[in-house]
Amino acid sequence: MEIRLTPYITLRTGMFAAVIAAEEEIIGLFARQPELKRYLFLYISGNGSRLLTRVGDRRVTFDVRRAFTAHQLLTILRDASHTIIFIEHDPTLFESAGGGVLMAVGKTIAEISAGSLVILYTPVPDRSFGVLAGYANQIITLAAEEVPVKRRTVQKRSLCQATLEAF
């Protein structure tokens, strides 16, 4: 199973990918990939989701789970038997959890990626995302294309030295 993230980046089964991208890029990924509907797809969000209401068409194979704590996230991950697991990173899950829990989540994600494609997504990375991304096979940053900016012409100032009286 493959998902083409961009023309040059392909994600495959057996991979744990940490993705940093704008929300529109990920919503576009769901819209551009009709083959996602053929696989068992698990969408895991935290306390709130920025994407879930905008994802669009979700079939029976699109399961959604919400984790309100890091321990619930661990339980959801250990019970997952889906082909594709998409985790929308929520840093609030790890605010009260110790570093050991964060490492346990990272190791669990790496272990389940042996039989699945796991995508950990965030629009803005933080410390906890960085720790989890350390267990990933691939870290991907999708930057928006820059729009050329018209530059204003700057008038040249005289190069002579001015005194306070000049002001």
Side-chain angles (χ1 to χ4, degrees), residues 10-17 113-114 116-119 137-138 140:
T10 303
L11 305 178
R12 294 178 173 83
T13 302
M15 179 181 283
F16 169 23
S113 69
S116 303
L117 166 60
V118 180
I119 301 169
N137 303 101
Q138 198 169 20
I140 302 165

Side-chain angles (χ1 to χ4, degrees), residues 1 3 18 22 36 39-40 57 59 75 78 86 103 123 127:
M1 191 272 318
I3 295 177
L36 291 179
Y39 300 103
L40 289 174
D57 187 22
R59 302 283 184 209
T75 302
R78 289 178 179 149
F86 184 89
M103 291 186 337
R127 187 191 70 76

Side-chain angles (χ1 to χ4, degrees), residues 9 28 80 131:
I9 301 173
V131 171

Side-chain angles (χ1 to χ4, degrees), residues 20-77:
I20 304 164
E23 294 172 13
E24 291 74 24
E25 287 286 330
I26 299 302
I27 292 168
L29 169 70
F30 290 124
R32 289 188 312 264
Q33 304 287 336
E35 67 270 8
L36 291 179
K37 297 173 186 169
R38 297 186 317 193
Y39 300 103
L40 289 174
F41 190 100
L42 175 60
Y43 187 102
I44 303 172
S45 69
N47 294 317
S49 175
R50 297 177 176 180
L51 303 176
L52 197 54
T53 57
R54 302 185 317 177
V55 169
D57 187 22
R58 297 189 306 251
R59 302 283 184 209
V60 176
T61 57
F62 194 97
D63 295 330
V64 178
R65 302 280 188 276
R66 290 187 65 189
F68 296 103
T69 66
H71 294 288
Q72 286 179 344
L73 177 60
L74 270 172
T75 302
I76 292 168
L77 290 170

Side-chain angles (χ1 to χ4, degrees), residues 105-165:
V105 170
K107 288 178 184 178
T108 302
I109 294 173
E111 289 170 4
I112 63 172
S113 69
S116 303
L117 166 60
V118 180
I119 301 169
L120 174 65
Y121 163 73
T122 189
V124 179
D126 63 345
R127 187 191 70 76
S128 59
F129 181 84
V131 171
L132 295 173
Y135 292 93
N137 303 101
Q138 198 169 20
I139 299 173
I140 302 165
T141 302
L142 298 177
E145 293 182 23
E146 292 186 23
V147 178
V149 178
K150 292 183 181 179
R151 297 179 185 233
R152 293 187 284 160
T153 57
V154 178
Q155 296 177 349
K156 291 186 179 181
R157 296 184 182 187
S158 68
L159 298 175
C160 63
Q161 185 174 358
T163 62
L164 289 176
E165 292 82 32

